[in-house]
């Protein structure tokens, strides 16, 4: 069905289609619309799910852990400080191998209080063992949420998935949305290690160094296997529903001398900038990085790279720029832009490319380069 | 005692300290709950008592969860099992640190939401798992490793906090009265909604008394009126048998205090304050039971 929706409504519609047994959530700007919509679906009976209105995000993820371990499909949504408040349980979900799906509406962190888009919240969960995907459109928010359940619940993965969408620039803008009849795209939830009183086990007890080490390696092995599972699920999604995705969304990259790498809505904005640059004779392309964990292999050989980071690791640099540097050996031009919702237009992005200084870092609107 | 089943759900050879009364309590809790039960356990002595992976001393599933999260995790689990049409008992078994202090928010949330589960706090009045630091449940005057001069403030009244949530069933119990505990767990699990049992669980290394005195220590707590056994069903209070007699003529408080190293060198002023607190509690609960409020 073709309609128009906000990014938040699109996520809620995908969750409804996935029919979770439990949704446990706490509202936080700009995510609130997702959980309001899900509460509405449950109240009207459009979604037969248990909605647990928890008293904090720490409890939201703890309730998701209990529900998923109990053997039902489980969803939550959060943002910014909510995500940080649940940080302990975010680690726990992955360690307990529970395929919880969470939408994270990317938002800056205080102080000062700022509810606009930034990716530092998601990157602060980088080492938790969650898969992380970043979407660029309302349609993709819907599609990625549906696929997230299928990827997370695959027995080769059994790790939680975080679907990231930019606060306000995606969560609250309206775009066209085509919802699908998912049919058997999502099989019934089956967790091989669900709690079973017929087979009593200790879940997550004290564990000595040797076994603990093995469990950590199992997470990494599944993270590696997840690359293939993601590709399979995205291929099946394309065959069934006609929309295809990959680890990156490449735009006019084939013959590009310079490639812009960005995530989320800035990654889509970069496509307009590329058209402008091409009009001016600059052979530029863009590569919107969709998957952050597992981090994809990127083919950037022989190209200059401009990385736009909507995040920062203080005392070090942009997280994406560093990731590109360490994965490819290329010294990118690192632009820090869009923090706390700072406006970045396609003209600005075109200027980043025109004024690029490989190996250097620029804070857009603060330092001298741009 | 003949009513108590012979089946064991807590095996021998746990990692509990000698004379551990909370593992004794857990044995009776599980006998009352039976095999179709799941324990949710935050960081506490029980996370050690169950043994180290891949071994387990329990023959019911035990879900270990982070310190602050037990009641919320149980909310999720209870909802999931109910969505699947199962009638499994979901029981949180948490120490006083994970209940009175760090876990109180999620406990309050789960009770307010009306989660169908039983929350049991076994209270050894300190952070026993980490070597006896003070908790909010440590009583006035008690020496712990973080209150070496004796705790200057009173024990947090957890039961009145839980009572304010109006749960359909709440009770106190003590490890020295296992049949009373057994019956209370049975009754709690027969009622829909959030239930709460607060067990006083004397701790030999923490309270500094000889291991063989663990049952005697619990009995003295009740006989002196320091710990009062009762049930509150749908708001109505009933004092339990062992406390009825004790409240009419309490044993001297000295009998309870003198055997415990943690109360060594208690000042007369603090002791007097403790005695007044005991008297106030006895009067308050007696009046409530008699309907004089």
């Amino acid at each position: 069905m073709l309609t128009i929706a906000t990014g938040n409504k699109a996520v809620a519609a995908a969750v409804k289609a996935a029919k979770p047994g439990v949704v446990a959530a706490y509202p936080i700007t700009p995510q609130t619309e997702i959980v309001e919509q899900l509460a509405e679906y449950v109240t009207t009976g459009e979604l037969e799910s248990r909605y647990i209105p928890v008293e904090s995000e720490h409890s939201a993820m703890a309730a998701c852990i209990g529900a998923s371990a109990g053997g039902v499909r489980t969803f939550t949504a959060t943002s910014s400080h909510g995500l940080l408040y649940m940080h302990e349980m975010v680690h726990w979900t992955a360690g307990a191998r529970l395929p919880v799906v969470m939408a994270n509406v990317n938002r800056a962190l205080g102080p000062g209080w700022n509810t606009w888009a930034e990716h530092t919240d998601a990157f602060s969960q980088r080492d938790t063992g969650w898969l992380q995907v970043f979407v660029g459109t309302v349609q993709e928010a819907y599609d990625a949420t549906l696929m997230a359940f299928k990827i997370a619940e695959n027995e080769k993965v059994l790790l939680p998935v975080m679907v990231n969408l930019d606060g306000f620039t995606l969560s609250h803008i309206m775009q066209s949305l085509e919802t699908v009849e998912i049919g058997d795209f999502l099989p019934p939830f089956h967790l091989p290690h669900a709690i079973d009183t017929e087979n009593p086990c200790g879940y997550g007890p004290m564990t000595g160094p040797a076994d603990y080490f093995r469990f950590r390696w199992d997470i990494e092995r599944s993270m590696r296997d997840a690359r293939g599972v993601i590709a399979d699920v995205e291929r099946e999604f394309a065959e069934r529903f006609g929309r295809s995705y990959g680890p990156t969304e490449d735009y006019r990259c084939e013959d590009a001398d310079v490639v812009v790498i960005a995530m989320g809505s800035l990654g889509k904005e970069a496509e307009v900038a590329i058209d402008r640059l091409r009009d001016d004779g600059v052979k530029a392309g863009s590569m919107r990085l969709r998957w952050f964990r597992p981090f994809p292999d990127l083919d950037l050989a022989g190209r200059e790279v401009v990385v736009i980071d909507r995040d920062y690791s203080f005392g070090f640099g942009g997280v994406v720029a560093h990731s590109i540097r360490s994965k490819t050996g290329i010294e990118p031009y690192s632009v820090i832009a869009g923090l706390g919702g700072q406006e970045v237009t396609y003209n600005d992005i075109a200027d980043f490319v025109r004024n690029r200084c490989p190996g250097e870092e620029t804070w857009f609107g603060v330092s001298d380069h741009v | 005692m003949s009513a108590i089943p012979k089946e064991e759900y807590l095996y021998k050879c746990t990692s509990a300290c000698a004379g551990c009364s909370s593992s004794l309590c857990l044995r009776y809790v599980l006998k009352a709950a039976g095999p179709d039960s799941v324990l949710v356990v935050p960081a506490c002595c029980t996370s050690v008592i169950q043994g180290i992976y891949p071994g387990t001393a329990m023959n019911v599933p035990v879900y270990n969860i982070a310190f602050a999260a037990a009641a919320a995790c149980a909310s999720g689990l209870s909802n999931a099992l109910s969505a699947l049409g199962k009638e499994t008992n979901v029981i949180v078994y948490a120490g006083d640190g994970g209940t009175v202090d760090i876990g109180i928010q999620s406990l309050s949330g789960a009770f307010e939401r009306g989660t169908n589960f039983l929350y049991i706090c076994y209270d050894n009045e300190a952070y026993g798992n980490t070597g006896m630091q003070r908790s909010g449940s440590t009583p006035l005057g008690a020496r712990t490793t973080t209150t070496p001069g004796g705790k200057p403030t009173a024990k947090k009244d957890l039961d009145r906090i839980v009572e304010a949530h109006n749960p359909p069933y709440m009770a106190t119990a003590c490890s020295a009265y296992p049949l009373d505990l057994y019956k209370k767990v049975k009754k709690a699990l027969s009622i829909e909604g959030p239930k709460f049992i607060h067990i006083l669980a004397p701790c030999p290394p923490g309270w500094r008394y000889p291991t063989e005195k663990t049952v005697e220590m619990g009995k003295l707590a009740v006989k002196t009126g320091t710990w009062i056994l009762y049930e509150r069903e749908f708001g109505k209070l009933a004092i339990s048998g062992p406390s009825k007699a004790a409240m009419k003529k309490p044993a001297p408080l000295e009998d309870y205090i003198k055997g415990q190293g943690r109360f060594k060198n208690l000042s007369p002023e603090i002791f007097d304050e403790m005695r007044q607190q005991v008297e106030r509690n006895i009067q308050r609960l007696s009046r409530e039971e008699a309907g004089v409020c």
Side-chain angles (χ1 to χ4, degrees), chain A residues 21-327:
Chain A
V22 164
V23 173
Y26 191 85
I28 179 171
T29 303
Q31 165 271 105
T32 315
E33 197 180 22
I34 298 177
V35 300
E36 285 173 340
Q37 184 65 59
L38 288 170
E40 179 80 18
Y41 285 148
V42 171
T43 302
T44 58
E46 286 176 84
L47 172 60
E48 273 187 48
S49 175
R50 306 291 176 113
Y51 182 90
I52 309 179
V54 283
E55 78 292 346
S56 76
E57 286 89 352
H58 193 277
S59 286
M61 191 51 71
C64 287
I65 288 166
S68 185
V72 301
R73 181 168 292 149
T74 305
F75 175 83
T76 189
T78 193
S79 177
S80 182
H81 288 269
L83 179 61
L84 267 59
Y85 192 40
M86 65 168 65
H87 176 67
E88 178 187 29
M89 306 317 300
V90 173
H91 271 283
W92 204 283
T93 320
R97 307 306 304 262
L98 298 172
V100 173
V101 171
M102 171 164 65
N104 177 44
V105 182
N106 302 111
R107 174 189 142 181
L109 300 159
W113 283 117
N114 176 302
T115 59
W116 291 280
E118 190 178 312
H119 295 161
T120 309
D121 59 352
F123 292 168
S124 72
Q125 310 301 313
R126 186 189 63 182
D127 305 327
T128 55
W130 281 61
L131 280 69
Q132 287 201 34
V133 62
F134 285 72
V135 305
T137 64
V138 166
Q139 183 67 60
E140 193 185 346
Y142 177 87
D143 296 345
T145 303
L146 271 185
M147 286 189 272
F149 286 105
K150 186 154 175 134
I151 293 162
E153 292 166 14
N154 186 293
E155 291 205 7
K156 283 186 187 164
V157 180
L158 288 178
L159 285 170
V161 176
M162 190 186 301
V163 179
N164 289 281
L165 60 156
D166 285 335
F168 294 107
T169 55
L170 266 181
S171 65
H172 283 65
I173 58 136
M174 296 186 94
Q175 292 177 348
S176 61
L177 171 69
E178 188 182 358
T179 58
V180 299
E181 293 294 327
I182 66 165
D184 61 356
F185 177 72
L186 268 181
F189 185 78
H190 171 70
L191 184 72
H193 56 289
I195 289 171
D196 178 7
T197 52
E198 300 286 315
N199 178 27
C201 302
Y203 295 83
M206 297 266 293
T207 306
D211 286 319
Y212 183 86
F213 202 94
R214 195 162 54 77
F215 290 153
R216 297 295 112 173
W217 163 241
D218 279 344
I219 293 175
E220 172 54 17
R221 190 164 50 191
S222 297
M223 195 58 97
R224 292 179 190 187
D225 288 346
R227 288 196 174 91
V229 174
I230 290 167
D232 290 345
V233 170
E234 289 178 342
R235 194 178 308 116
E236 187 189 337
F237 191 88
E239 284 163 8
R240 285 187 182 231
F241 308 118
R243 288 185 292 273
S244 62
Y245 298 96
T248 59
E249 185 180 45
D250 298 355
Y251 185 73
R252 303 181 81 169
C253 275
E254 298 78 16
D255 62 338
D257 298 327
V258 54
V259 171
V260 175
I261 296 180
M263 302 179 82
S265 54
L266 280 180
K268 289 305 283 185
E269 195 76 5
E271 293 179 6
V272 187
I274 298 307
D275 289 341
R276 291 298 165 107
L277 290 162
R278 289 274 178 172
D279 290 345
D280 293 348
V282 181
K283 283 167 77 176
S286 78
M287 204 176 264
R288 180 169 62 86
L289 190 60
R290 293 186 67 247
W291 286 94
F292 179 65
R293 287 291 180 275
F295 200 87
D297 294 321
L298 303 174
D299 181 13
L300 293 165
R303 284 139 164 199
E304 281 188 77
V305 175
V306 175
V307 175
I308 306 172
D309 265 288
R310 189 168 222 160
D311 62 83
Y312 202 71
S313 175
F314 296 107
F316 192 78
V319 174
V320 184
H322 172 61
S323 304
I324 301 293
R325 192 182 294 119
S326 73
K327 283 295 250 186

Side-chain angles (χ1 to χ4, degrees), chain A residues 55-59 85, chain B residues 68 99 101-110:
Chain A
E55 78 292 346
S56 76
E57 286 89 352
H58 193 277
S59 286
Y85 192 40
Chain B
T99 305
D101 292 341
I102 195 170
I104 199 160
Q105 174 186 296
S106 63
L107 179 152
S108 176

Side-chain angles (χ1 to χ4, degrees), chain B residues 175-186:
Chain B
S175 57
Y177 299 88
L179 186 60
D180 178 72
L181 168 64
Y182 175 85
K183 286 177 177 169
K184 285 170 174 170
V185 173
K186 275 268 181 207

